[in-house]
Amino acid sequence: MDQIIVTGNGPLSGQIPIAGAKNACLTLMPATLLSEEPLTLTNAPRLSDIRTMTTLLQSLGAEVQSLQDGQVLAMSSHDLTSTRAEYDIVRKMRASILVLGPLLARFGHAEVSLPGGCAIGARPVDLHLKAFEAMGAELELRDGYVHAKAPVGGLRGGIVEFPFVSVGATENALMAATLAKGTTVLMNAAREPEIVDLAQCLQKMGAQIDGEGTSEITVQGVDRLGGATHRVVTDRIELGTYMLAPAICGGEVECLGGTINLLAAFCEKLDAAGISVEETPNGLKVARKGGRVSAVDVTTEPFPGFPTDLQAQMMALLCTAEGTSVLEEKIFENRFMHAPELIRMGASIDVHGGTATVKGVDHLKGAPVMATDLRASVSLILAGLAAEGETVVSRVYHLDRGYEHVVRKLEGVGAKIERVKEQ
Ligand code: EPU
């Protein structure tokens, strides 16, 4: 297994290119299952989660060609051979559940293994299933699989009211509704940029969708969808992660491809902490010129609130802020696993349930630490960039799920970072 070694050093400067969004790509890929015609995605990120989704689609008989060094995915679901997503692949990644809606809508039946829990929380899929029931599907849980069947004649439009916001359930229901008979209204829908990106791609394929980006999405079902070519939206979480690098180490970095509207709540918190963010023709320029940053309180919320996927990285910044910050995690019940690792580096953090109180210390010290999930792992790298001495991060396979070329990107702005085989 590989490790990443980071040595704390001075200010960073330069540019970091930001890739297409993992979480948009993971819902755009299953959209290919809705149509017989090809769907091509450009600006795809090169990540292990994308390779897992590729394997899953191929196991159903879809063609997925990775072109231009993985940045273009040319897909066709013309000759699907199966509507069953097997446990062996689904267990590797929860987003696998996103094949259920498209398969059910196009073929009238599907069997998908239940994904199970994961390190950041239980993460059930009940809201996905309730949405399909509202469209007339019959569902049965048997042998660890969801067996879903549409009524004769296919899914019907219906009213789907989500009791709370779910990104994945909104995506799954939206894809299914495009081919349902009649009108579907998704109420309390997620408003994330990845949902808007999915809706825009589906519209190019011929879907009739209104209200994407608001909490009420209306879909008029059509008989069939065609092909399309679509550019994956910028990864706002990768963007926010790299914006924190100069915020933590000092200096000035331009993140290429970002806009403030993808991360408005996050940018407000950076401003309150004393970090300047400026929109440029090519992206966002982030600078920290003064001394220590100021403490700020953060509560994670669905978009447009502060994203849960940036909570760990923000905590890394606040470990050395002047004053005490309170971070509240409202989306996942177990998403502070980076805290004990940051404490190993000298941070002062108290976790009680969903609240972490971070007392800023003067500086962090390098230490051997363990990555526990994707965002936790990158928060340890960020903390290591500013710590005194060497930080060795193990279990970096988590990182490969969501960050392409992390070493190259950070080295490019002057960080001392290398990837080595574990000794
Ligand atoms: N939930 C349920 N029932 C459901 C669905 C969700 O109880 O049927 C709960 C979850 O357990 C969670 C909350 O609802 O407590 C919100 O979960 P959501 O469904 O919004 O999350 P998701 O679709 O499973 C996506 C991202 C996550 C990101 C969340 C929140 C993808 C592939 N994943 O997950 O990304 O944290 O939305 O924004 O889009 C990451 O990239 O590191 C990551 C975890």
Side-chain angles (χ1 to χ4, degrees), residues 140-393:
E140 205 190 327
L141 301 183
R142 200 166 5 104
D143 314 324
Y145 281 73
V146 182
H147 296 254
K149 227 170 125 196
V152 180
L155 290 177
R156 301 187 292 259
I159 306 281
V160 179
E161 190 165 2
F162 295 109
F164 52 89
V165 173
S166 161
V167 175
T170 302
E171 292 165 345
N172 230 341
L174 177 61
M175 288 190 279
T178 58
L179 291 179
K181 305 258 168 311
T183 307
T184 302
V185 184
L186 307 180
M187 296 165 80
N188 201 18
R191 292 184 278 165
E192 270 66 4
E194 293 75 22
I195 306 274
V196 176
D197 204 37
L198 172 64
Q200 287 172 349
C201 177
L202 293 169
Q203 284 160 346
K204 285 182 201 160
M205 294 166 74
Q208 303 284 320
I209 301 169
D210 270 320
E212 68 274 16
T214 74
S215 48
E216 190 171 308
I217 305 179
T218 306
V219 187
Q220 188 68 50
V222 295
D223 287 342
R224 57 179 294 283
L225 293 178
T229 295
H230 182 80
R231 184 183 161 84
V232 180
V233 68
T234 299
D235 195 317
R236 65 195 163 97
I237 305 302
E238 192 198 23
L239 171 65
T241 301
Y242 288 125
M243 288 169 73
L244 283 166
I248 288 180
C249 295
E252 184 174 283
V253 168
E254 188 177 21
C255 294
L256 304 175
T259 51
I260 286 183
N261 63 357
L262 287 174
L263 280 176
F266 171 75
C267 290
E268 270 172 34
K269 292 296 175 187
L270 286 191
D271 183 54
I275 306 298
S276 94
V277 179
E278 185 197 326
E279 220 160 30
T280 68
N282 301 321
L284 295 179
K285 197 176 269 181
V286 184
R288 188 186 117 201
K289 299 214 168 92
R292 282 169 73 178
V293 298
S294 311
V296 288
D297 295 341
V298 171
T299 302
T300 63
E301 284 169 352
F303 191 84
F306 190 100
T308 172
D309 292 343
L310 283 172
Q311 177 261 109
Q313 302 89 311
M314 189 71 181
M315 187 186 282
L317 171 72
L318 296 174
C319 285
T320 52
E322 187 102 54
T324 299
S325 310
V326 178
L327 286 91
E328 269 190 87
E329 174 54 58
K330 296 269 197 192
I331 309 291
F332 293 110
E333 66 266 34
N334 188 24
R335 214 178 194 183
F336 283 134
M337 285 163 303
H338 40 283
E341 302 300 309
L342 291 168
I343 291 169
R344 291 172 54 76
M345 299 175 69
S348 166
I349 307 167
D350 230 1
V351 175
H352 281 289
T355 304
T357 306
V358 182
K359 270 197 208 128
V361 295
D362 219 34
H363 59 268
L364 295 178
K365 284 210 173 100
V369 288
M370 192 93 86
T372 49
D373 68 73
L374 168 58
R375 309 302 171 186
S377 52
V378 84
S379 79
L380 300 174
I381 291 179
L382 287 174
L385 288 176
E388 272 176 13
E390 204 175 80
T391 298
V392 182
V393 185

